[in-house]
Amino acid sequence: MKAEVRKLDARKADAGGDAPPVWVGGVRAAGELGLRRAELARAVQLGMVRAGPPAPSGAARFAQAELDRVRAADGFPEALRRRVETVAGADAAAEALAISPSRFTRLARCGRVTPVGYRVNRYRAVVWLYLAAELGEFAAREPALLRGIAPPEDRELMAAKADLRPRMWRERYVGLLLRRTADPWERAAVLASVLPEAEAREAVPDPAERIVLAALAPPPPYGHPQIPAAAAVALRLLRADEPEEVHWYRTSLEFALTGARDQSKSTGERGPT
């Protein structure tokens, strides 16, 4: 009960004093901001627009005050649209950089550019999405990589048939989720969701804690496919796979759980406060 009171007080403070916030659904919010639904989802993911607590039905909603804040920013709406604009796949990204698709694929596989999202096409192939603005920044920052031979470190990665795109995307995605909350239980849930199931069970041996973390686990990102065959392909993107990456997330989870357990001891409640 105390936790719920604190949450309510925080929401009132965010809305300004005791005045109840005015909530707006996702469709209307996208319209007010001049964005498509996918673009609004990207803006939320990147922290440009703050979503409110979900409606009782689970649907996304936004405080009118938050939409007003975004609309008051300099350059709205063009600046906001530019920040969320994406290109899909190597061909489109290569065209944006005026290089060949093969060169762009090599740059992406070597971790020079980081995807912001993905989709799975009808052939069950992963199509990576990149922020157009970030591609422009990369071109301005690393012009030498767009021309000439690949540097030694890239040649070494390609010789090993490395593909850092999934790992780079997960790192970005997890980082964005962690920045949305300071609650240790919610942070632990984000980290647990990236671990392979066996690793997560070993890291969290208490079944009751696993239930809490499962309830707080973030939903798949916007655009995650619903068709079972495609969803199975995408699900592999959500889990760490290389030993070094798994170790990093597991260590981070154990650290987050230490803080979460200490919080529960002080409040007498298991779960976020």
Side-chain angles (χ1 to χ4, degrees):
M1 178 63 70
K2 293 179 180 179
E4 292 300 319
V5 170
R6 285 195 293 271
K7 288 181 179 179
L8 182 58
D9 289 343
R11 292 171 190 168
K12 288 181 178 178
D14 290 341
D18 294 329
V22 176
W23 298 111
V24 172
V27 173
R28 178 175 166 184
E32 289 198 20
L33 297 180
L35 301 175
R36 297 189 295 269
R37 291 293 299 275
E39 292 173 331
L40 176 60
R42 188 75 62 216
V44 172
Q45 174 195 4
L46 296 172
M48 300 171 189
V49 180
R50 296 188 296 264
S57 64
R61 59 181 182 173
F62 301 82
Q64 184 64 56
E66 171 64 6
L67 302 183
D68 294 341
R69 180 192 68 81
V70 176
R71 294 173 63 184
D74 291 341
F76 177 86
E78 290 79 9
L80 178 60
R81 291 197 192 107
R82 285 196 299 269
R83 293 173 69 192
V84 299
E85 180 185 0
T86 60
V87 296
D91 288 349
E95 182 178 354
L97 294 175
I99 60 177
S100 69
S102 61
R103 179 178 288 270
F104 179 81
T105 298
R106 187 255 296 168
L107 291 170
R109 288 173 65 96
C110 292
R112 298 293 186 174
V113 291
T114 301
V116 73
Y118 61 82
R119 65 185 187 212
V120 178
N121 66 19
R122 59 180 176 173
Y123 303 108
R124 302 181 193 174
V126 176
V127 178
W128 292 105
L129 308 178
Y130 301 89
L131 287 173
E134 288 187 353
L135 294 180
E137 292 167 2
F138 171 75
R141 186 176 66 251
E142 302 284 359
L145 292 176
L146 304 182
R147 304 288 183 269
I149 63 173
E153 57 268 31
D154 285 14
R155 294 200 298 271
E156 183 178 341
L157 286 169
M158 293 307 295
K161 301 186 184 303
D163 186 355
L164 301 183
R165 289 174 294 184
R167 180 171 180 172
M168 297 288 288
W169 174 78
R170 281 190 294 270
E171 181 178 335
R172 176 179 207 156
Y173 179 59
V174 169
L176 290 168
L177 290 173
L178 291 177
R179 282 198 287 274
R180 291 187 195 178
T181 179
D183 186 275
W185 281 106
E186 293 180 351
R187 294 175 68 83
V190 169
L191 296 164
S193 71
V194 188
L195 284 172
E197 185 176 349
E199 289 283 344
R201 291 181 68 88
E202 288 183 8
V204 191
D206 184 344
E209 289 186 345
R210 290 201 299 270
I211 291 174
V212 171
L213 296 181
L216 296 172
Y222 183 87
H224 188 82
Q226 301 298 314
I227 299 174
V233 173
L235 184 62
R236 294 196 291 269
L237 303 176
L238 302 180
R239 299 285 186 269
D241 51 10
E242 297 180 358
E244 179 185 356
E245 184 188 12
V246 170
H247 175 74
W248 190 90
Y249 284 118
R250 178 163 175 170
T251 300
S252 299
L253 170 60
E254 291 168 349
F255 179 80
L257 280 173
T258 298
R261 290 163 181 153
D262 288 344
Q263 173 183 272
S264 291
K265 289 178 182 176
S266 65
T267 64
E269 301 172 357
R270 173 179 277 135
T273 58

